[in-house]
Amino acid sequence: MSSVETAAEHERILREIESTDTNCIGPTLRSVYDGEEHGVFMGKLDGRIRSHDRDIERMCNHHFQGFVDSITELLKVRGEAHKLKSQVTETDRRLQQDGKGLMASMEELRQCRIQQKNIASTIDKLQMCLPVLEMYSKLQEQMEAKRYYPALRTLGQLEQTCLPRAGQYRFCGLMADSTPLLRSQIRDTAMTHLRDFLESIRKHSDRLGETAIKQAQVQRSLDSSTSVHPRALIGRRIRKELSLGAGTESNGQGGSPLSEQDSGILDVEDDEEEEEEEIPGAQDLVDFSPVYRCLHIYTVLGLRDVFENYYRKQRRKQARLALQPQSNMHETLEGYRCYFNQIVGFFVVEDHILHTTQGLVNTAYVDELWELALSKTIAALRTHSVRGSLHGCLTTHHSILTFVFPCLGSQAAFPKKLPFSELVPRVYCQIKEFIYACLKYSEDLHLSSTEVDDMIRKSTNLLLTRTLSHCLQNAIKKRNVGLPELVQVIINSSHLEQACTFLEEFISNLTNVPPDTANSTQLYGTSTFKDTRHAAEAEIYTNLNAKIDQFLQLADYDWTTAAQGGGAMTPSDYLTDLITFLQSTFTVLTNLPGKVAQTACMSVCKHISNSLLQLLLDPDVRSISIGALHQVNTDLLQCESFARAGPVTGYQGDTLILAFSDLRQLLDLFTQWDWSSYLADYGRTTSRYVRVNPHTALLLLDKSRSTMFAQFRKTDRDRQKLIDAVIRQLRTLIAQQQA
């Protein structure tokens, strides 16, 4: 191969070496070593390397300054990078430090959200369980307070309403298991109290009969003890009564009896001094609450027939015991007295039960016992008769009254029934004896007739205004004074006031000074006895209201009961008993003079109306359903029926029903839901709801609002909006009233 070709071949190989991948350079180099000019090739290769080195050197020389500058800049950047790294590190440290609090807060927030969720769930569960616990707590309080009838009603609500709503909890199961035991405990306790009551009645029938007989004697003025010596004996008894009254004033202790422990009978001391005091009514000596309570409890339990049969069976046994005379009864009059006292005491109790309960005993049952008593009594008295002596006592007593009390007149023929008690002639006789004593005292004072007359009249006025008035006031304020006694006080005061005219004439006849003399002192009897009547009337009103409050304590409304779909609702048991009590009471008050009975009846109706209204507005009652309002409305209808029947005479039209007008208009407004008429006619005298106060309406609407909303459907929004609008308008009316 020529040198030219060799040089070209070597050039080609060098280009391949420069441009070819090192993995493929092997065949190229092999071709070099296969030839003979590899030394020449190596020389050219060195030359080519030196040429490339020179190119590299030129290139490096050309870019060296830029490289140096880049290195210099890089060194400067390294310092800034260190600063940046330090700042980033510090920022990261601070961020980590600050983030710890944030992370802790986030963790707390997460825990708080979990707690909120748990609390919301707990509240939902508690809202279902709290009514159960509250009802059970109320039940325990009633059991501890021995209010067994309300406790039984509460137990029924707990078992029928609250426990099914609460769900399946262990405490609910325990409560459900304990309800039969509590019901049995209530039933057994009530029956135990009834047995104690029956035992006490049996033991104290003679005392009860004795008291009833004495009361009848006082009312009819047939006390046989006055037959000994008319004027002297009456004077001694009146002086003894006045001394007892003064003693009561000085030591501050009255003669009111104390109640026996768990007996139902009020104890009356049987010493002679207390027999001279005013005799309490037989009905005031017996606490019949065990009978009423047991009757209500057995009625709620559905065992009324069992209770009625048990009561009648036990009383029949007691009747046979009372009608069985003692073997030595014929030996003393005391034996006969005890025998009759037991019989009278037994029938006093049965008569009271007959008129104060519905169906526990009936007329046929009492007539059956009465026929038994007649047959037994006739058989016991067949060999002994006291009819002649009794007639003689009655005749003597009438002649005494006619002698000592001129108000009877000639028309008071035996056996006339007198409206006043024996107290009237006794007081009249004692005042006359006092006037005699004053006249006797003035004999040695050398006074003129006018001066003696003035002295006697002033002394008599002091006797009337201080001693007699104070004794009467004390008698009225005694704890054991019942309505019949207060009625008798009013009647006696009226006749004593009339007797003052005879006392005026009596003083004038003794002193020979005419009563119409210019400077003569008038007796204060009219004002004294008028004040006594007013005090007795006020006490009647107070006693009636207190009795009503006792009945109202038995009220146990279910304020959350649902409205009944159909059929008439029945009045509450406590209200039925209250109406029965009032009907029997006002038969006694019809003997009152003037308008006392009318005022008492109006006061009673107003008190019942206000008490029912206060039950609705009681702060402890937080929600009231429409069903509860309908129940109260039914009770109010019963009260209005009582008022419409005219328990006392003297009222015109529906005057007595006006006492219930406030409550009637309020209940009509809610039961008929007539808010449009109320708001449109408010302030007008012709409004149908003129007596409904907006503040009262707002309070009752707030209580009934929650139960209404609980019955609304989601789509029923109109009534909710209506209630909200009514509440806003009521608040506006209240603000206008306050302004």
Side-chain angles (χ1 to χ4, degrees):
M1 184 181 295
S2 63
S3 59
V4 176
E5 291 177 355
T6 302
E9 182 64 20
H10 287 173
E11 187 66 28
R12 182 186 65 80
I13 293 172
L14 288 175
R15 285 197 301 271
E16 287 182 3
I17 292 173
E18 290 176 348
S19 59
T20 304
D21 189 6
T22 56
N23 293 329
C24 301
I25 200 173
T28 303
L29 295 178
R30 184 177 180 85
S31 63
V32 174
Y33 284 99
D34 289 341
E36 297 178 357
E37 291 87 5
H38 63 278
V40 178
F41 176 77
M42 290 299 296
K44 286 187 177 184
L45 181 60
D46 291 337
R48 181 63 62 88
I49 291 172
R50 286 193 296 271
S51 175
H52 282 297
D53 289 338
R54 286 192 298 270
D55 292 338
I56 292 171
E57 185 177 358
R58 283 195 303 271
M59 184 179 294
C60 289
N61 289 335
H62 177 73
H63 294 286
F64 178 74
Q65 188 61 40
F67 173 75
V68 173
D69 294 338
S70 298
I71 294 300
T72 303
E73 292 294 329
L74 184 60
L75 292 175
K76 293 180 180 179
V77 170
R78 185 176 62 178
E80 296 297 329
H82 284 297
K83 292 181 181 180
L84 180 60
K85 180 180 178 182
S86 299
Q87 293 176 357
V88 170
T89 303
E90 181 64 21
T91 302
D92 179 68
R93 186 186 63 80
R94 291 199 303 268
L95 183 61
Q96 291 294 334
Q97 186 67 27
D98 296 339
K100 290 181 180 179
L102 179 61
M103 292 300 293
S105 299
M106 292 296 292
E107 181 64 21
E108 292 178 358
L109 179 60
R110 187 180 69 84
Q111 294 295 333
C112 184
R113 292 289 174 82
I114 295 175
Q115 291 177 357
Q116 287 180 343
K117 182 179 179 181
N118 293 338
I119 290 173
S121 177
T122 303
I123 290 175
D124 292 338
K125 299 300 182 182
L126 287 178
Q127 286 178 346
M128 298 174 61
C129 297
L130 278 179
V132 179
L133 299 176
E134 291 175 354
M135 190 69 69
Y136 193 78
S137 176
K138 178 182 177 182
L139 174 63
Q140 294 298 324
E141 293 176 357
Q142 291 171 341
M143 292 291 292
E144 292 177 359
K146 298 182 179 180
R147 299 178 64 237
Y148 297 112
Y149 176 65
L152 194 60
R153 298 290 297 272
T154 303
L155 187 61
Q157 296 176 11
L158 179 67
E159 192 174 24
Q160 299 173 8
T161 305
C162 297
L163 286 176
R165 293 178 181 175
Q168 301 296 326
Y169 292 100
R170 184 180 179 184
F171 73 91
C172 293
L174 294 176
M175 290 182 184
D177 294 339
S178 65
T179 52
L181 300 177
L182 291 174
R183 189 173 283 107
S184 299
Q185 179 183 352
I186 292 173
R187 184 182 67 249
D188 296 341
T189 303
M191 183 56 68
T192 300
H193 291 172
L194 177 66
R195 293 193 185 100
D196 295 340
F197 169 82
L198 293 176
E199 181 66 20
S200 300
I201 286 292
R202 187 185 67 81
K203 292 180 179 179
H204 297 83
S205 291
D206 55 345
R207 179 57 54 83
L208 185 61
E210 179 184 3
T211 304
I213 292 174
K214 287 183 178 180
Q215 187 182 29
Q217 289 176 342
V218 169
Q219 291 177 351
R220 294 173 174 81
S221 301
L222 296 179
D223 189 358
S224 60
S225 63
T226 58
S227 61
V228 178
H229 192 285
R231 179 173 176 175
L233 184 54
I234 291 178
R236 288 198 302 270
R237 292 185 66 183
I238 296 177
R239 283 194 296 272
K240 190 172 184 179
E241 181 175 276
L242 292 177
S243 65
L244 287 174
T248 302
E249 177 185 2
S250 62
N251 59 22
Q253 296 177 354
S256 56
L258 299 176
S259 60
E260 287 190 349
Q261 182 70 20
D262 297 331
S263 66
I265 304 297
L266 298 180
D267 188 20
V268 180
E269 296 295 336
D270 57 351
D271 53 50
E272 294 182 357
E273 292 184 358
E274 225 171 27
E275 287 181 356
E276 300 295 330
E277 294 184 354
E278 194 163 331
I279 302 171
Q283 68 276 9
D284 296 321
L285 302 179
V286 182
D287 179 15
F288 289 93
S289 60
V291 180
Y292 302 146
R293 186 162 48 244
C294 196
L295 174 61
H296 288 312
I297 289 173
Y298 271 72
T299 300
V300 174
L301 293 174
L303 301 174
R304 182 185 176 96
D305 294 340
V306 176
F307 175 77
E308 291 179 359
N309 294 333
Y310 177 81
Y311 177 84
R312 294 183 183 185
K313 180 179 179 181
Q314 295 300 319
R315 290 298 284 168
R316 283 192 180 95
K317 291 181 179 179
Q318 292 185 354
R320 293 187 179 92
L321 292 176
L323 295 172
Q324 183 67 33
Q326 297 292 332
S327 58
N328 59 346
M329 181 184 71
H330 63 281
E331 297 178 357
T332 61
L333 288 177
E334 184 64 27
Y336 286 101
R337 185 179 294 110
C338 292
Y339 179 64
F340 286 122
N341 287 343
Q342 288 183 356
I343 297 174
V344 172
F346 177 86
F347 282 101
V348 164
V349 173
E350 292 307 296
D351 181 74
H352 187 81
I353 294 294
L354 174 65
H355 289 88
T356 56
T357 59
Q358 293 184 338
L360 179 57
V361 297
N362 51 32
T363 306
Y365 163 79
V366 177
D367 291 343
E368 176 190 350
L369 294 180
W370 182 248
E371 293 296 332
L372 176 64
L374 284 178
S375 61
K376 292 288 186 180
T377 305
I378 291 173
L381 300 179
R382 183 164 294 172
T383 57
H384 301 279
S385 175
V386 293
R387 187 177 305 170
S389 60
L390 178 60
H391 181 269
C393 291
L394 296 177
T395 305
T396 305
H397 184 72
H398 174 262
S399 63
I400 293 172
L401 288 179
T402 306
F403 174 76
V404 301
F405 193 54
C407 292
L408 292 175
S410 59
Q411 297 180 355
F414 181 79
K416 181 178 178 63
K417 181 179 179 180
L418 303 176
F420 54 83
S421 67
E422 185 188 359
L423 176 69
V424 175
R426 289 171 62 190
V427 170
Y428 181 82
C429 181
Q430 184 64 34
I431 294 176
K432 288 179 63 176
E433 290 188 0
F434 177 79
I435 294 173
Y436 276 125
C438 290
L439 182 63
K440 182 70 175 176
Y441 174 76
S442 64
E443 290 179 354
D444 299 330
L445 298 180
H446 306 290
L447 300 175
S448 63
S449 298
T450 304
E451 292 174 336
V452 171
D453 182 86
D454 185 66
M455 184 269 293
I456 292 176
R457 290 176 182 271
K458 289 181 178 179
S459 300
T460 304
N461 280 333
L462 290 176
L463 178 66
L464 293 175
T465 57
R466 290 185 181 178
T467 306
L468 180 57
S469 176
H470 187 76
C471 290
L472 291 175
Q473 293 290 340
N474 284 343
I476 292 172
K477 297 298 182 181
K478 281 184 178 180
R479 186 182 60 174
N480 61 336
V481 175
L483 292 176
E485 288 77 13
L486 294 172
V487 172
Q488 192 64 62
V489 169
I490 295 175
I491 296 174
N492 290 347
S493 300
S494 300
H495 285 83
L496 285 174
E497 181 180 352
Q498 298 173 8
C500 288
T501 303
F502 297 96
L503 291 177
E504 293 267 7
E505 296 177 358
F506 179 69
I507 294 174
S508 298
N509 293 334
L510 289 178
T511 60
N512 295 321
V513 177
D516 55 353
T517 304
N519 295 327
S520 63
T521 303
Q522 300 296 320
L523 294 182
Y524 298 154
T526 301
S527 60
T528 299
F529 296 117
K530 185 178 295 184
D531 293 340
T532 300
R533 285 200 303 275
H534 291 167
E537 292 168 7
E539 195 67 20
I540 286 177
Y541 307 149
T542 302
N543 286 0
L544 281 176
N545 291 341
K547 290 287 186 181
I548 291 172
D549 292 338
Q550 292 177 5
F551 279 98
L552 289 172
Q553 288 178 357
L554 296 175
D556 191 24
Y557 289 102
D558 182 6
W559 298 113
T560 59
T561 184
Q564 296 183 2
M569 301 182 70
T570 59
S572 301
D573 294 339
Y574 85 92
L575 190 71
T576 303
D577 295 340
L578 173 59
I579 297 300
T580 303
F581 164 75
L582 293 177
Q583 289 172 345
S584 63
T585 298
F586 282 113
T587 58
V588 178
L589 297 183
T590 53
N591 297 324
L592 288 173
K595 297 183 178 180
V596 179
Q598 290 88 335
T599 305
C601 191
M602 179 61 74
S603 174
V604 164
C605 292
K606 287 183 177 179
H607 188 70
I608 294 175
S609 178
N610 293 334
S611 299
L612 290 176
L613 181 59
Q614 291 304 316
L615 286 177
L616 293 174
L617 302 181
D618 189 353
D620 294 336
V621 180
R622 299 183 179 179
S623 61
I624 300 178
S625 65
I626 294 297
L629 291 178
H630 280 291
Q631 180 61 56
V632 177
N633 184 63
T634 302
D635 292 344
L636 180 59
L637 289 174
Q638 188 77 358
C639 296
E640 291 173 338
S641 176
F642 163 76
R644 194 175 290 108
V648 296
T649 59
Y651 284 110
Q652 296 180 355
D654 294 337
T655 304
L656 192 58
I657 300 180
L658 293 178
F660 301 99
S661 57
D662 290 4
L663 184 59
R664 165 52 55 208
Q665 294 182 11
L666 181 64
L667 290 177
D668 285 347
L669 176 61
F670 275 84
T671 56
Q672 300 176 12
W673 205 251
D674 196 11
W675 291 103
S676 58
S677 300
Y678 174 73
L679 296 173
D681 297 338
Y682 180 77
R684 300 178 184 175
T685 56
T686 58
S687 174
R688 181 183 176 187
Y689 308 102
V690 67
R691 304 182 71 89
V692 178
N693 187 288
H695 182 70
T696 303
L698 180 60
L699 288 177
L700 190 56
L701 185 58
D702 284 337
K703 292 185 178 185
S704 59
R705 184 182 185 186
S706 59
T707 56
M708 291 180 183
F709 284 169
Q711 300 172 0
F712 288 165
R713 299 187 302 270
K714 293 183 178 179
T715 58
D716 190 2
R717 304 295 183 184
D718 294 338
R719 195 170 188 182
Q720 298 183 25
K721 294 179 180 179
L722 174 61
I723 293 177
D724 293 337
V726 170
I727 290 177
R728 288 194 298 270
Q729 295 185 49
L730 287 176
R731 289 173 178 170
T732 302
L733 294 178
I734 294 173
Q736 292 176 357
Q737 281 186 345
Q738 294 175 350

